[in-house]
Amino acid sequence: MTSGSDIYKFGPFRLDPIAGILYRGDEPTMLGRRAVALMGRLLENAMTPVSKDALVEAAWGGLAVADNNLTVQIAALRRVLAKEDASTWIETIPRHGYRYVGPAIVANVPDTSATDQGASALALPDKPSIAVLPFSNLSGDPEQEYFADGMVDDIITGLARIKWLFVIARNSSFAYKGRTVDVKQVGRELGVRYVLEGSVRRSGGKLRVIGQMIDASTGAHVWAQRYDRSFGDIFAIQDEIALSAVGAIAPSMRKAEIERVRRKRPESLDAYDLALQAQPDVDSGMPEQVTRALTLLERAIALEPAYALAHGNAAMCHHCLFLRAGLWEANRAASIRHARLAILHGKDDAAALTLAGFSMGMDAHDRGAAFTALEAALAISPSSALTYILGSVILGWGGDAERAIEWSERGMRLSPFDPWAFAAFDAQAMSHFLRGRYEDSCRAAYKSVQANPAHSITYVQLAAALARLGRLDEARAAAARVLELQPSFRFGRQFAGVNCAQELASTLGDALRDAGLPE
């Protein structure tokens, strides 16, 4: 038997149970949770009868329901499948149940959404371009993965400060983590000329780091170097690797550009290490995990009170808790407090300014201060994809539709496989919706749902767009998913929480009422 999270392919259809989407080719249809559970159970047991009791258990968790509830759900599935003249794919077995008798099924189909985005080669930008792949952890200790990842993140941060260099964001580079890759393919998928890769070995207080840069157009090695140093030299090693890469691309690099790479770092290596450990939980955007991250970040801040990036990440954690865990004023106030400290101490830290700007825009409702911080971040690091993506969200909720779409698209070009893609698609969905482009809004919202099926707001945009298109059954299924993920969701409170632009709140609210979401 296959897992409930498997993706099934049968005939022209593909069922994604986690997102609740049935695709016919590239055309998506939103299914309700019970319809997904029934379809999944029938596909798991293809060609074998499934009893009514087993189906009720799958879809209703054993609740006592009238027989017609099951009949209605099966009829709805048949209507969706009938688009392919497939009304006989689900066979009724009198007095027993149902069975799937359609085309052969392939279960556990890989999710190719990320690779599909980069299936066609991206055009090279009009300036030198580079991607830094995750370094291999050769320490023999899986617990040191965070350290190897953090080293790469810092190298990317240094490279991104060079204004004439186009640098792919860490989030897209890390789509290749744990994979054997063809550097030429990476160059095509990310649209870059150069690829930097390497390895890290940490043993006690000693480090060995190996880096090499390859011309992705030819596969030729451009530069390689090995560093044997103490752990206390970690920042110097990161800077040397970044400088060597830039020097190989442009041998006449100016002294001013060298100084841009050599930026201010935390004085406490223990604080730095704690922030590295917290980062994956911060990036999750899930309340339980960001609560765990806050414990580490608070320890880092206690060691180094002026650690701007730790404050920026703490602001993001409290933002997540505010919007996804009850809209408590204490979380909003903490988000703003940490954002202000990140701005105060992070005038030379693009990541800290980005996170702080997002909190100022979303939680303090001060979009002027938000874009002062975001534009300062872009002045420091023009290749900061996250700045554009988070900025597009603020612009979207603020009703600045066309600029929100522009910023989201720029962010996605800098990071084609970004885990924050769902936020960029959200910004596009709400912006198209505001302009009355409901088909475009629906397409963007479906991309958002596929990119992050665990985020409630992705389904809010989808429910609104589907309602405006008159696809009310799908809209109600999307609305039901919102409440499954966030039972306390009330769109009026949510709009007030992010200070949604009045015109957008009005039009979205009308559509969400039609979809059945509570105000």
Side-chain angles (χ1 to χ4, degrees):
M1 183 174 289
T2 54
S3 157
S5 62
D6 286 339
I7 294 177
Y8 302 92
K9 190 175 186 309
F10 53 104
F13 293 102
R14 179 166 54 91
L15 177 68
D16 183 340
I18 297 297
I21 302 174
L22 180 71
Y23 292 90
R24 181 183 181 274
D26 293 328
E27 179 189 347
T29 298
M30 188 73 205
L31 296 181
R33 177 173 58 85
R34 292 192 171 97
V36 170
L38 292 172
M39 193 75 232
R41 182 59 61 91
L42 290 168
L43 294 173
E44 284 178 351
N45 298 277
M47 307 303 173
T48 302
V50 183
S51 71
K52 291 181 179 180
D53 288 345
L55 290 169
V56 168
E57 173 65 31
W60 284 272
L63 294 175
V65 296
D67 284 351
N68 71 312
N69 284 296
L70 178 58
T71 304
V72 166
Q73 292 287 341
I74 293 293
L77 282 174
R78 283 173 167 158
R79 283 196 300 273
V80 174
L81 297 176
K83 295 176 183 177
E84 189 61 25
D85 191 25
S87 57
T88 60
W89 288 8
I90 300 177
E91 180 183 56
T92 301
I93 302 173
R95 296 181 301 281
H96 182 75
Y98 301 88
R99 68 178 164 188
Y100 172 81
V101 290
I105 300 163
V106 179
N108 200 21
V109 177
D111 181 1
T112 58
S113 56
T115 53
D116 285 347
Q117 291 179 44
S120 56
L122 292 171
L124 290 175
D126 57 3
K127 54 186 177 180
S129 51
I130 188 169
V132 186
L133 298 186
F135 280 22
S136 301
N137 170 28
L138 302 183
S139 301
D141 179 5
E143 294 295 320
Q144 290 298 319
E145 284 291 327
Y146 78 89
F147 179 79
D149 293 349
M151 166 165 271
V152 173
D153 199 6
D154 225 27
I155 292 168
I156 293 171
T157 298
L159 290 171
R161 294 166 65 90
I162 304 298
K163 294 183 182 296
W164 52 259
L165 188 61
F166 182 98
V167 183
I168 290 293
R170 177 243 198 224
N171 283 339
S172 280
S173 296
F174 274 62
Y176 298 91
K177 186 174 175 65
R179 294 166 49 188
T180 301
V181 297
D182 175 354
V183 169
K184 291 183 179 180
Q185 180 182 351
V186 171
R188 289 192 299 270
E189 291 178 349
L190 295 178
V192 294
R193 174 70 180 273
Y194 300 101
V195 173
L196 178 63
E197 57 184 10
S199 63
V200 181
R201 184 189 301 275
R202 179 180 177 182
S203 178
K206 298 294 185 182
L207 284 176
R208 169 170 289 181
V209 182
I210 297 174
Q212 61 178 5
M213 191 168 73
I214 300 166
D215 186 327
S217 63
T218 63
H221 282 71
V222 178
W223 160 84
Q225 184 66 47
R226 188 178 83 181
Y227 305 85
D228 288 300
R229 304 282 181 81
S230 68
F231 176 60
D233 292 331
I234 177 65
F235 298 139
I237 296 173
Q238 292 166 353
D239 287 349
E240 286 181 37
I241 291 173
L243 288 168
S244 296
V246 174
I249 296 170
S252 59
M253 180 174 55
R254 297 187 299 274
K255 183 177 185 298
E257 290 160 338
I258 294 174
E259 294 306 314
R260 290 186 68 82
V261 170
R262 289 177 176 161
R263 60 212 178 278
K264 183 179 182 295
R265 302 310 218 301
E267 294 181 9
S268 168
L269 288 175
D270 288 338
Y272 170 76
D273 200 66
L274 287 164
L276 289 185
Q277 293 179 56
Q279 196 66 58
D281 284 333
V282 176
D283 293 341
S284 75
M286 304 298 282
E288 182 178 347
Q289 288 170 261
V290 301
T291 300
R292 187 167 61 215
L294 275 171
T295 301
L296 296 173
L297 292 169
E298 286 163 359
R299 288 169 58 194
I301 291 167
L303 288 169
E304 186 151 346
Y307 193 173
L309 186 56
H311 283 295
N313 277 318
M316 181 60 82
C317 290
H318 283 290
H319 164 78
C320 170
L321 292 174
F322 174 61
L323 279 187
R324 301 198 67 189
L327 294 168
W328 295 106
E329 180 61 25
N331 290 127
R332 191 175 84 90
S335 171
I336 297 167
R337 177 171 55 83
H338 282 291
R340 287 173 173 158
L341 287 167
I343 292 170
L344 175 66
H345 299 301
K347 292 180 172 57
D348 196 37
D349 189 327
L353 291 170
T354 294
L355 298 172
F358 186 67
S359 286
M360 293 302 293
M362 298 296 283
D363 301 331
H365 304 164
D366 187 342
R367 294 192 169 103
F371 278 90
T372 297
L374 295 178
E375 287 162 5
L378 291 172
I380 295 165
S381 180
S383 291
S384 177
L386 190 61
T387 307
Y388 284 112
I389 291 173
L390 295 184
S392 76
V393 175
I394 301 172
L395 290 165
W397 285 113
D400 193 346
E402 304 310 326
R403 194 171 173 219
I405 293 169
E406 178 191 349
W407 273 52
S408 68
E409 289 174 346
R410 290 176 74 176
M412 291 295 290
R413 176 59 186 92
L414 284 160
S415 188
F417 306 143
D418 206 290
W420 280 92
F422 75 93
F425 291 134
D426 267 353
Q428 293 176 18
M430 73 177 88
S431 298
H432 286 305
F433 184 92
L434 181 60
R435 292 292 179 259
R437 300 187 291 257
Y438 301 126
E439 290 284 0
D440 290 336
S441 177
C442 194
R443 278 191 288 271
Y446 266 122
K447 290 178 182 178
S448 180
V449 165
Q450 188 177 23
N452 188 355
H455 190 61
S456 56
I457 305 303
T458 63
Y459 293 91
V460 171
Q461 310 297 343
L462 181 58
L466 289 167
R468 278 290 179 262
L469 291 170
R471 294 159 61 177
L472 290 180
D473 287 345
E474 291 180 73
R476 291 176 185 129
R481 185 66 174 139
V482 173
L483 295 175
E484 289 168 24
L485 291 166
Q486 192 174 339
S488 64
F489 180 86
R490 301 292 182 270
F491 65 80
R493 294 185 67 210
Q494 198 81 12
F495 292 170
V498 298
N499 193 25
C500 180
Q502 185 173 354
E503 182 185 1
L504 179 62
S506 176
T507 53
L508 266 179
D510 289 344
L512 294 176
R513 286 186 199 94
D514 292 342
L517 270 172
E519 186 170 5

